Amino acid sequence: MSHAFALELLAPARNLESGIAAIEHGADAVYIGGPSFGARASAGNSMADIAALAAHAHRYSARVLLALNTILRDDELEQARKVVVQAYEAGVDALIVQDMGLLELDLPPIQLHASTQCDIRTPAKARFLQDVGFSQIVLARELDLRQIRAIADATDRERCALEFFIHGALCVSYSGQCTISHAFTGRSANRGECAQMCRLPWSLKDADGTPVAERRHLLSLKDNDQTANLAALIDAGVRSFKIEGRLKDLAYVKNVTAHYRQELDRIREARPELARSSAGRSTFAFAPRPEKTFNRGSTDYFVNGRHGDIESFESPKFVGAPIGRVLGVSGRFVTVEAGEPLANGDGLAWFNAAGELQGARVNRVDGDRLQLVDLPQGLVSGATLYRNVDHAFEKQLAGKSAERRVQVGLRLADAADGLALTITDETGIAATATLACDRAEARDPLRAQATLRDSLSKLGGTMFAAAPDDVAIDTARPWFVPVGQLNALRRAAVEALLAARAAAWQRPPRAVPVDPPARYPDTSLNYLGNVFNARAREFYRKHGVELIADAFEANHEDGLVSLMISKHCLRYSFNLCPKQVKGIRPDPMTLWQERGEDGRVVREPLTLRFDCKQCEMHVVGRRVGGKGSRPQLSD
């Protein structure tokens, strides 16, 4: 490669505490929801907290991205514009947006990033978004390396960075193309209120009505883990590596961020053409292990092409790693054969006879005998035990688990009336402080020089780090200077460097759209275009779209429509794919939900249609209350 380019580790922030933890554990950027209009309605934050997070992030040249990625009604546009203004004033570096109506508003010059809900799967769509002013775009999770490379070839690395999810929960539908939550509950995923219908148990029948699966989590996927593919993703053109999880807890953010920080650093250190997009190095008080915090198992999804074992059919919850089997159960006491030691406070899980996940905490360990906090419902001899809470690991993460320092070099020199100390950080920013003092010649020059180096390198209470060897003594002689004066000089130089770093921070620029306006790849948009306001219509008309349907949330789609479009295919999962088995036809199948043991259907059955050319599954149904729909039974 011809020149160095920077990689960004982008971590989620549920709140201020989580965002600061992400920065401390090595994130180059964090994304967070504001007071409204983020795609996680339950993860909102005040502008005061966002301003505090931005100030902390900028100390390390890290970025804060504000998720304002819901679709907006006409009456919400002005409020959304005010949120953008407030975010700009709070120091936010960029907005993550889905609704193109925002681009038609009078916004401050803040950088724009295209949300995953923009459904970016093709080079043409990616190039369009770059040309209308987006500086970073989140690619669809379903893409493989060849498709990512094609998008990189169609876009300009200098103008538009490619972002890709590398860890966390996977939506079974293409993001932004899922309307099943709104159809069944009125809660729209595109407006931050997803009801997570995909995580519920469903049953499946083939075209002849023969049961294929009953009460399994057929639309639930394992979690994304691209650890093994990071280098390949870099080579394909990805520059921002995104961790999912604005609803995840603090332990998850710490653990997963630290893991990918180490992995990306390992790759970067072996490849001089790669740089890091922020300053400072994090050290950890624990060994990161992503499997120890919430996950549904792991898959690299479609990055290396379609393969099996991407599903989480048994449970959408955190099952944990298998640690042994049950030898006997007596009340709250369980005798186990475990492959590794268990400890008080560990969380155990198991599946009962009905296939339901259950669990309990360990109260006391006595050899192979465990006392549980609660009665172990459904636990029998021979059952496999899983550990989904490692108490010792959780305890490590509960306290201070990381420290991030910016490396500096120090130079002490003579000044007109005393001494001058210059500190230069790893990015080249420098500041100088002076000390007016009498320069007394030291009786023991070698000892004085060592004292100067040791005293000046003591930066433990700051965000900077230096070893004695990083201190250059460029004075005429190794003067004797009282330690108190040296400490004062060092503190003054540190304060000057902090001020210089703050002054050097520059907000990334807003990209300028091309002129004449770029044309959208299609001349029509159906309900999946998510156009929900007049300004979004203006945007698309300006870019050549002639026919524009209203978003599904407008409740104008009364007939049968695709409520989900997914690369996950149940025919493939059950070895019923025409590409797997000769002679099988991709006939529609039926998906439905039952409640309890009485077998009553809770919701109208859904039809699965299979587009084998595109290798996609469509989940087809109608909006509750739409024409032809059945009344919904109460849950």
Side-chain angles (χ1 to χ4, degrees), residues 275-605:
R276 185 169 168 186
S277 61
S278 67
R281 187 174 188 87
S282 296
T283 55
F284 308 114
F286 67 104
R289 294 184 62 183
E291 72 277 9
K292 290 284 189 182
T293 43
F294 186 95
N295 68 88
R296 301 177 178 91
S298 64
T299 174
D300 71 353
Y301 211 26
F302 295 102
V303 165
N304 289 300
R306 184 180 289 278
H307 57 83
D309 200 31
I310 68 171
E311 312 92 349
S312 179
F313 285 171
E314 301 308 315
S315 175
K317 300 177 181 178
F318 181 21
V319 176
I323 51 91
R325 66 188 184 93
V326 177
L327 299 180
V329 180
S330 177
R332 289 196 293 134
F333 292 90
V334 180
T335 305
V336 301
E337 181 181 65
E340 55 185 280
L342 293 168
N344 298 350
D346 281 356
L348 301 180
W350 58 89
F351 289 97
N352 65 15
E356 299 165 334
L357 187 69
Q358 297 181 314
R361 286 269 187 168
V362 177
N363 186 51
R364 189 171 73 245
V365 177
D366 183 10
D368 63 354
R369 197 161 182 257
L370 312 177
Q371 183 186 46
L372 304 185
V373 173
D374 300 307
L375 285 173
Q377 301 293 324
L379 185 60
V380 297
S381 295
T384 299
L385 272 182
Y386 303 83
R387 179 165 60 186
N388 55 14
V389 178
D390 184 329
H391 180 68
F393 188 75
E394 293 280 328
K395 191 174 180 180
Q396 285 182 303
L397 292 175
K400 184 174 176 58
S401 49
E403 187 172 71
R404 183 166 177 169
R405 298 288 189 91
V406 174
Q407 292 295 313
V408 296
L410 300 92
R411 176 178 175 270
L412 185 69
D414 291 323
D417 58 350
L419 296 170
L421 178 62
T422 299
I423 306 184
T424 305
D425 71 18
E426 62 189 53
T427 68
I429 298 173
T432 300
T434 58
L435 172 69
C437 64
D438 294 329
R439 290 174 294 198
E441 193 166 340
R443 296 178 189 175
D444 185 342
L446 291 178
R447 182 178 179 184
Q449 193 169 49
T451 299
L452 290 172
R453 284 201 172 94
D454 288 343
S455 295
L456 294 175
S457 64
K458 290 180 178 177
L459 298 165
T462 74
M463 62 174 282
F464 304 112
D469 289 346
D470 296 323
V471 181
I473 308 298
D474 290 340
T475 56
R477 294 180 181 82
W479 306 112
F480 168 75
V481 184
V483 172
Q485 289 186 323
L486 282 177
N487 290 342
L489 178 61
R490 185 191 64 238
R491 287 193 293 268
V494 166
E495 289 300 318
L497 181 59
L498 288 171
R501 285 180 58 79
W505 171 71
Q506 292 184 329
R507 197 191 307 263
R510 168 87 171 265
V512 178
V514 299
D515 190 31
R519 294 188 68 79
Y520 189 73
D522 297 309
T523 57
S524 64
L525 284 173
N526 65 12
Y527 66 99
L528 293 174
N530 296 327
V531 177
F532 203 38
N533 58 70
R535 289 302 185 95
R537 285 180 172 275
E538 289 175 23
F539 171 88
Y540 283 111
R541 286 198 185 100
K542 183 169 72 177
H543 295 285
V545 183
E546 299 168 2
L547 299 175
I548 304 172
D550 289 333
F552 190 80
E553 287 75 5
N555 296 328
H556 296 160
E557 299 290 338
D558 286 334
L560 291 170
V561 296
S562 293
L563 301 178
M564 284 184 178
I565 305 174
S566 177
K567 285 288 286 184
H568 164 53
C569 177
L570 286 170
R571 279 196 169 275
Y572 186 90
S573 297
F574 289 102
N575 200 35
L576 297 172
C577 170
K579 297 178 182 180
Q580 294 171 310
V581 182
K582 289 184 179 180
I584 287 184
R585 293 172 52 84
D587 294 329
M589 304 177 83
T590 304
L591 194 68
W592 81 98
Q593 242 189 326
E594 295 175 351
R595 183 180 65 180
E597 298 181 359
D598 57 8
R600 284 194 299 160
V601 175
V602 175
R603 295 183 172 91
E604 181 176 345

Side-chain angles (χ1 to χ4, degrees), residues 176-200:
Q177 307 295 284
C178 182
T179 58
I180 193 169
S181 177
H182 183 79
F184 281 176
T185 71
R187 294 167 51 186
S188 166
N190 283 315
R191 288 179 54 77
E193 297 178 332
C194 180
Q196 294 196 317
M197 308 297 297
C198 55
R199 302 298 182 186
L200 299 177

